[in-house]
C-alpha cells in the first residue's frame, strides 16, 4: 500500500487503535524529550530524536512499508506534534557522528519506539 502525507489510508493501514496509540505515545515522548534534554540537545536535535521514536514504532509495526511510505508516516505524525517545517528538517538531518550523546539518545529512543510497537495490544 502506498501512502501519501496526510492520507487517511495511514490510519486504515495501521488500524485505528494502533494509530491512536502511536499518536498518544508520540505526544508523551516528544514532551518528555524536550523536558529531559532541554540543556543537553538543541531543539533540532530533539526533533531528530523524536522522529527516531516514530520511526522505531513504524518500522516495527509495519515492517513491509517502503522507505517512502515510512517517511510519509513520519511526516503525518510529526507535522501535528512539532511542525511541518521542523519535521521536514529532522527528516533531512544526518546526526553528527562526533556527538556521542545525541547518537546514544537516538538509539535509545528508537528502541523505545520499537518496544512500544511490540507491546501494543489492540482493544479487542
Amino acid at each position: 500500500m502506498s501512502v501519501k502525507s496526510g492520507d487517511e489510508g495511514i490510519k486504515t493501514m495501521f488500524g485505528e487503535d494502533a494509530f491512536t496509540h502511536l499518536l498518544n505515545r508520540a505526544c508523551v515522548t516528544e514532551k518528555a524529550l524536550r523536558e529531559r534534554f532541554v540543556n543537553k540537545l538543541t531543539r533540532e536535535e530533539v526533533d531528530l530524536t523524536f522522529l527516531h521514536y516514530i520511526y522505531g514504532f513504524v518500522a516495527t509495526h509495519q515492517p513491509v512499508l517502503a522507505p517512502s511510505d515510512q517517511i510519509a508516516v513520519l511526516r503525518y505524525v510529526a507535522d501535528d506534534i512539532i511542525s511541518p517545517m521542523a519535521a521536514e528538517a529532522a527528516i533531512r538531518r544526518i546526526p553528527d557522528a562526533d556527538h556521542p550523546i545525541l547518537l546514544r539518545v537516538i538509539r535509545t529512543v528508537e528502541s523505545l519506539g520499537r518496544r512500544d510497537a511490540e507491546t501494543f495490544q489492540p482493544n479487542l
Side-chain angles (χ1 to χ4, degrees), residues 13-54:
M13 174 188 58
F14 266 76
E16 192 68 34
D17 289 344
F19 189 75
T20 299
H21 179 74
L22 170 58
L23 287 178
N24 290 338
R25 293 296 305 146
C27 286
V28 169
T29 299
E30 189 271 341
K31 183 178 182 209
L33 288 170
R34 297 250 178 252
E35 291 172 0
R36 171 69 176 89
F37 296 104
V38 66
N39 294 319
K40 293 184 173 94
L41 300 176
T42 66
R43 179 171 193 77
E44 293 79 13
E45 290 168 339
V46 172
D47 291 343
L48 174 63
T49 302
F50 171 61
L51 258 68
H52 277 269
Y53 169 83
I54 300 169

Side-chain angles (χ1 to χ4, degrees), residues 4-17:
K4 303 285 186 239
S5 183
D7 187 347
E8 286 296 313
I10 292 172
K11 291 179 186 177
T12 303
M13 174 188 58
F14 266 76
E16 192 68 34
D17 289 344

